[in-house]
Amino acid sequence: MAKQGSGSILQFAPLQSSVDEGFWHRLSSLKLNKFGIDDSPIPISGFYAPCSHPQVSNHLTLLAESLPSDSNDESTMPPVIRGNRNRCSVPGILYNTNTMEGFHALYKQGLLKAEAMKIWEDIHSGKAVEDCAVLSRVLLISFADLKKWNFHYWFAFPALALDPSATLVDLRPASQWFTLEEAESVSAACNEWRNSSVTADVPFFLVSIDSDSHAAVKHLKDLEACQRDGQKLLFAFYDPCHLPNNPGWPLRNFLALISARWNLKTVRFLCYRENRGFADLNLSLVGEALITVQQGWREQQCVPNAVGWELNKGRKVPRCINLAKSMDPTRLAISAADLNLKLMRWRALPSLNLEILFSLKCLLLGAGTLGCQVARMLMAWGVRKITLLDNGRVAMSNPLRQSLYTLDDCLNGGDFKATAAVRSLQRIFPAVEAEGIVMAIPMPGHPVSSQEEKSVLEDCKRLNDLIDSHDVIFLLTDTRESRWLPTLLFANSNKITITAALGFDSFLVMRHGPGPFNSIPNLKAETENSLAAGMDNLALTNTDGQHRLGCYFCNDVVAPTDSTSNRTLDQQCTVTRPGLAPIASALAVELLVGILHHPNGIFAEAEIANSSSGGNFELPLGILPHQIRGSLPHFQQMTLLGHSSNSCTACCSTVVSEYRKRGMQFILQAINHPTYLEDVTGLTELMRSANSFQLDWDDDIEVADDECVEL
């Protein structure tokens, strides 16, 4: 850039405002719950930072924490936040009127003059030297129409006007003003100043350079010591402006301080700007200005003229924003909940598919210890549609272990877990679309009478309909037999299924493989953007002839049967170490997210930790195992692989074929006849053959210990 200045008037780039929605939300809450009709001035704090982009200026921002807390027992002053390099605090005042007429009737020039007088008094008292943050101030007038959620507002950034104006002698990029040695030293000194929690948010400072080109950054109160040492001196400030030919607004009051406090005629200043958190001397500016004010201008009683009302599209008029849609607390909760997920896509996980997560329909079978934790983890990942199925009631022993319940849910015999869990989810996150289904899952080994058959068959059909209407199913029940019917229905419908099961000090988390009769549909182009198309793309891709992964029952050689009768109290309850359920639940949800982001979805091959085969795809979420088994006594977990069994009582082709042929009558026979599933799958014959197999032992031959095989 060519040298600028040569006697022209020094012109400053106006500061620009930005208001976060949370600020208006808290103001509304304060107005309704605390201030009422009291329209007294409200202290606020604004925040700004040095420019960090060559084409974009930083704004002065108001956040929710810019206002006082809405608690009645706390101070009316907003909290002072110090040490944040991206939040240089600017004190200010808010005048919020009760009517639109009152807003228009405010004496704006008088309010601006009053705030400018505070700056002038701080300059003469020395406070601005000790705490330079008071050199900048923000004035905001507003009217909040809480019926229509319209907010009328106008910002001012009070600035003391020099009389006459300062003359610009020179202005150029800092990299052209310093020598190479000086530039390197200045950058290092400024970076050190910015990285210290003590000085990171101190916006005005001195940069001194000695004869050896060594630079140091010092507080304003050290000016006289720098002048005595004869060092090259620059008055530096955090410049929010990006323009190459104009310094930012904070320099105005800085020059007023320099002239009134130290009576300097020639001032060299550094407009400090950054790039990616470090000093950028190509973007920063160094300038020289001449100050020749009239006699008496520096006197404390002669308050200079003030300027600073923000223009709205070049005109001196207030702004108006309508937040009827976004000011609803539910919408604010959605915005806040989505923030972490959206920030993941900035750098850590650019491929994160939020659209699938937001639209996913999850069915949780079981609303106990595991169900409560899984539901909360799903919401944290952005899942909004959750159905919980359970027929139990909340007992007094539940709230300590099952995070969605409280003592109130236990009273009067206890509420149904499914409905109580939904209420709790909606209190935590009002935007969740949660539904509770109070229903028992029909189980093999628990025969039903002829009078109960109709009701049981209706439950079976209802469970089948629920599975068909959801994208993902979590199997979180606490008995083995209660997992059989859902597993069969999953295998038939080919749904993504995650199982989590707990022992006393161990756990299992696994994903079920696809069903035995999966197919590859031809997706229509018009449905490619729908969730159904997205789920099909995840699940129904080329299987390459791989042996499918097993289900929860594939390693068993006996059919599920009654495991609840004739049990002691500790066997009837799920006795488990308290830390186990949160671990297993978190892994179950993370496993689901991994499936959703794998190109092969439900058909993805199983990977084992530390395995050399990472598949053909680069997976940003890591490996995708089949089973995760954990042990608390050893504080370890391992990933395992189990293929499907041709004799599985839940997912083999024989069982699924029988279900497709006979439907509910097949299920009823499996419920009422404990050995039926073993007979159908050939397990009965297998056991008979195993029992008839005999070993002939030769007692005369001794086998060496090292030849023994442990079975």
Side-chain angles (χ1 to χ4, degrees), residues 243-256:
L243 298 178
N245 298 326
N246 300 93
W249 199 252
L251 181 59
R252 298 197 68 137
N253 290 336
F254 200 12
L255 293 179

Side-chain angles (χ1 to χ4, degrees), residues 50 89 159 189 246 263-265 270 284 296 298 309 350 376 482 563 613:
S89 181
N246 300 93
N263 194 22
L264 297 180
K265 302 290 192 300
L270 168 64
S284 300
R298 300 182 181 87
W309 285 106
R376 297 200 64 159
S482 64
S563 65
S613 61

Side-chain angles (χ1 to χ4, degrees), residues 150 226 374 394 426 594:
N150 285 327
C226 295
V374 167
V394 184
Q426 291 171 341

